[in-house]
């Protein structure tokens, strides 16, 4: 079961590290990202928060996977 949990955690981390940052250029260049004064809109802020949360989850998944491997050794 530990091996399965480690694999799932590492796959989750890999998915979040590979997929979410790729959205940033598209979001940044979206016309909804800035208002007429050039200020960031809620659209941009919410998506940046989502990307940040996904990257934090990726790091926590890696830490948890390493913790499981160390505990199992």
């Amino acid at each position: 079961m530990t091996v399965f949990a480690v694999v799932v955690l590492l796959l989750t981390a890999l998915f979040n590290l590979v997929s979410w940052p790729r959205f940033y250029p598209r979001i940044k260049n979206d016309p909804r990202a800035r208002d007429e004064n050039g200020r960031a809109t809620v659209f941009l802020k919410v998506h940046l928060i989502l990307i940040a949360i996904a990257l934090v989850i990726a790091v926590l998944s890696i830490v948890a996977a390493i913790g499981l491997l160390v505990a199992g050794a």
Side-chain angles (χ1 to χ4, degrees):
M1 186 64 172
T2 300
V3 173
F4 176 74
V6 168
V7 169
V8 169
L9 287 167
L10 292 176
L11 287 174
T12 300
L14 180 65
F15 174 81
N16 283 333
L17 289 172
V18 170
S19 64
W20 281 96
R22 296 184 66 190
F23 284 110
Y24 177 70
R26 291 175 54 195
I27 293 164
K28 181 183 72 163
N29 295 326
D30 192 295
R32 298 171 288 178
R34 302 270 174 196
D35 64 13
E36 54 277 348
N37 297 320
R39 289 183 299 227
T41 62
V42 174
F43 173 84
L44 179 60
K45 292 174 186 176
V46 166
H47 283 86
L48 289 178
I49 291 169
L50 289 172
I51 292 169
I53 290 170
L55 295 177
V56 168
I57 290 171
V59 170
L60 292 175
S61 295
I62 292 170
V63 169
I66 292 170
L68 283 173
L69 288 173
V70 169

